[in-house]
Amino acid sequence: MLNLFSTKRHFQNSECTTAVLPVGAIEQHGSHLPVGTDAIIADEVASRIAKRLDAYLLPCVSISSSIEHRESKGTVYLKADTLALVLRDIAESLRYTGFKRLIVFTGHGGNWILKPTIRQMNRDYAERGHELKTILIPSNIAGARIGEVVTHTQHDLHAGEKETSIMLHLCPEHVEPIAPQQKPTTSPQDYMDYFDVSEITEDGYWGYPEEATAEKGCRLLDLYEAGAIAYIDALERERRAIAERTRSRGK
């Protein structure tokens, strides 16, 4: 695996053509989790993916689209279109030096702009005859299996059972006491289009962190890793099948 400690010679001697980019966020996560939670989680999952694929692990894009937390001191964010341009520039620099695949894992649900950006990038590169393909690992990559680990599969969106469990596993020394809530937030997720999270939650978290355990966090990370690799493999199988059908029609 290539990473920030790799030298020019390492890259020259490597046949690696896949890069993995974690995208996190710097935003409030209630009174119990650090503002860098999404970046820490994204970096861990991306590192696992890069190891499995023997890929180039890029440093995490930690500051991203977190405007829904702007009222909380410590939150730092980019506008959505700025994040889209950052991703485009990263992809272009990789393509220029011979990389053929960029895998993006985001640890923050608010980075919705990545999906249409990557869809457009893949079409644009194909039209120009460029080989770089960009893959976005879906935020629900654990799918239905998430219920095998967590108690709450609904209304656990931010600094709740899932994220707190992972942080208890990765760095328990940075998990503070949870501020009790009188009534869990059950507002629709799209209310973040209209209100700041600080306005629709009691302490900035949206979920059930009191249900979190380090053991759940370990199992969740394994699910994310397995789900990501399965998704990438399935996508490549589909790509080969489409190419074969295209060749067959041309005969």
Side-chain angles (χ1 to χ4, degrees):
M1 183 181 78
L2 299 168
N3 56 31
L4 292 182
F5 296 99
S6 302
T7 68
K8 178 180 179 179
R9 183 170 290 111
H10 292 141
F11 282 96
Q12 288 175 332
N13 295 336
S14 172
E15 296 181 356
C16 173
T17 57
T18 295
V20 181
L21 176 69
V23 183
I26 300 298
E27 60 186 32
Q28 73 80 26
H29 272 72
S31 298
H32 63 287
L33 293 183
V35 295
T37 291
D38 289 342
I40 293 167
I41 294 174
D43 198 53
E44 173 64 22
V45 177
S47 177
R48 290 171 174 231
I49 295 170
K51 287 177 182 176
R52 290 282 295 271
L53 301 178
D54 195 22
Y56 175 23
L57 176 63
L58 293 162
C60 184
V61 177
S62 296
I63 297 175
S64 61
S65 182
S66 300
I67 195 170
E68 67 274 15
H69 298 279
R70 68 181 293 177
E71 297 296 333
S72 296
K73 188 175 182 179
T75 296
V76 184
Y77 63 93
L78 302 176
K79 292 181 179 178
D81 51 356
T82 303
L83 179 60
L85 291 173
V86 168
L87 178 60
R88 285 178 175 274
D89 282 356
I90 291 172
E92 179 57 25
S93 65
L94 290 166
R95 184 203 66 80
Y96 188 78
T97 55
F99 282 86
K100 301 185 185 304
R101 186 168 64 168
L102 170 61
I103 297 168
V104 180
F105 178 82
T106 177
H108 172 48
N111 290 334
W112 54 268
I113 193 66
L114 296 177
K115 186 176 179 63
T117 302
I118 286 173
R119 183 176 296 188
Q120 186 66 51
M121 284 168 52
N122 280 322
R123 300 313 195 273
D124 291 346
Y125 278 136
E127 288 180 3
R128 297 170 192 159
H130 296 162
E131 293 190 55
L132 182 73
K133 297 175 177 62
T134 306
I135 298 171
L136 177 65
I137 303 300
S139 58
N140 62 342
I141 194 59
R145 294 194 63 190
I146 200 78
E148 299 174 13
V149 179
V150 301
T151 304
H152 299 277
T153 58
Q154 301 293 322
H155 304 300
D156 193 77
L157 303 179
H158 182 70
E161 182 181 7
K162 295 189 290 293
E163 288 187 323
T164 305
S165 291
I166 294 174
M167 292 298 284
L168 282 171
H169 171 66
L170 292 178
C171 44
E173 69 277 13
H174 294 300
V175 178
E176 301 287 342
I178 299 165
Q181 57 186 346
Q182 298 300 313
K183 183 179 180 181
T185 304
T186 57
S187 300
Q189 186 173 357
D190 60 8
Y191 273 25
M192 285 186 282
D193 293 342
Y194 314 103
F195 308 107
D196 194 85
V197 172
S198 65
E199 297 173 315
I200 51 180
T201 64
E202 294 180 25
D203 186 62
Y205 65 85
W206 193 327
Y208 304 86
E210 67 277 3
E211 300 281 357
T213 68
E215 188 268 340
K216 289 180 181 178
C218 180
R219 292 173 63 193
L220 284 168
L221 286 171
D222 288 344
L223 276 183
Y224 293 163
E225 176 186 348
I229 296 301
Y231 182 80
I232 294 165
D233 289 345
L235 190 61
E236 293 305 322
R237 286 195 299 272
E238 184 70 13
R239 201 185 304 280
R240 289 194 295 270
I242 290 172
E244 180 59 33
R245 290 197 298 270
T246 302
R247 284 194 295 270
S248 297
R249 294 191 192 107
K251 291 180 180 178

